[in-house]
Amino acid sequence: MSANVYKPHLIIYPEDDATKHLAAELKIACQHKGICINQIDIETSCNGYRKTIKEIKLNAHLAKYECRRLLAIIDLDATKNRIDAIRSELKTVFKRDHKKVFILGWSKEIEVLKSKADCAGIGFQRLAEKLFNDALNGCPKEAIWHDDYFAQMHDNCEMARLDKLFASIREWNSQKG
């Protein structure tokens, strides 16, 4: 079922199958919080961050749908300025609507995050659930988001933007339908 494009909705563009799995965990975390998951769509894996950005540019239709927000989930491949480069590219394409696009990335391949979760004895699904539950709860200081794995790759500006995105998703409870 597709999201109602005239109500607040989120379209997630995963870079690969591993990030698509993470996107599915976000949807599950939202469902556990009672958030209308019909307003969250996950696109097919794009197989690379360049293809992910190309797909967003081709299919976003941000100007047409005021309530649309996009989330790109990508591997940053230890490239610190990748988020800035992507943000700059999207700003050129989308002009005023570029602020509707959010980027969630990791310093290395997502498989490293899976290994980290396994080493901690909690498994990837539990780690992803904790990650998004923390985000949906306002990202408390002890949240996994403050781990170096995430914090080093996101400047405070992007972290604040992601927090606002998750805050708006929390508000969708009152807009079910």
Side-chain angles (χ1 to χ4, degrees):
M1 177 178 213
S2 289
N4 180 340
V5 296
Y6 300 105
K7 292 187 176 195
H9 63 285
L10 177 67
I11 300 176
I12 302 174
Y13 287 87
E15 176 183 344
D16 53 27
D17 288 339
T19 54
K20 186 171 184 170
H21 182 194
L22 194 66
E25 294 302 327
L26 167 59
K27 210 167 175 175
I28 290 168
C30 287
Q31 185 174 29
H32 290 165
K33 291 281 183 193
I35 295 167
C36 183
I37 61 170
N38 293 338
Q39 292 304 100
I40 301 173
D41 285 338
I42 302 171
E43 295 295 315
T44 58
S45 302
C46 297
N47 299 314
Y49 96 91
R50 294 292 326 144
K51 290 178 183 175
T52 304
I53 302 311
K54 181 180 178 182
E55 201 57 36
I56 288 172
K57 292 186 325 190
L58 289 173
N59 298 310
H61 307 293
L62 286 175
K64 185 175 179 181
Y65 302 111
E66 182 59 34
C67 296
R68 177 166 288 173
R69 300 294 179 265
L70 307 177
L71 176 62
I73 303 180
I74 59 172
D75 296 329
L76 299 173
D77 300 322
T79 307
K80 272 199 160 247
N81 63 350
R82 185 168 285 173
I83 285 180
D84 291 333
I86 293 169
R87 231 188 279 153
S88 177
E89 184 175 346
L90 294 174
K91 189 174 186 176
T92 303
V93 173
F94 293 122
K95 311 281 186 261
R96 69 175 182 88
D97 290 319
H98 75 280
K99 292 183 179 182
K100 296 180 182 180
V101 181
F102 300 82
I103 303 162
L104 179 57
W106 284 268
S107 58
K108 298 180 180 153
E109 302 240 341
I110 200 111
E111 287 77 7
V112 175
L113 181 61
K114 285 183 175 182
S115 296
K116 190 173 184 171
D118 290 341
C119 288
I122 60 172
F124 182 67
Q125 183 171 355
R126 179 68 187 111
L127 181 69
E129 181 183 325
K130 178 168 177 31
L131 183 74
F132 291 116
N133 277 330
D134 285 347
L136 292 167
N137 286 326
C139 211
K141 288 292 179 205
E142 67 278 2
I144 196 165
W145 290 94
H146 299 289
D147 185 290
D148 284 346
Y149 195 76
F150 304 104
Q152 289 177 0
M153 298 310 292
H154 292 89
D155 58 24
N156 288 334
C157 176
E158 193 66 16
M159 289 303 287
R161 292 183 72 243
L162 285 166
D163 191 45
K164 285 182 183 176
L165 172 66
F166 288 116
S168 70
I169 291 172
R170 287 191 302 270
E171 292 172 10
W172 293 356
N173 279 334
S174 62
Q175 300 175 18
K176 286 183 182 180

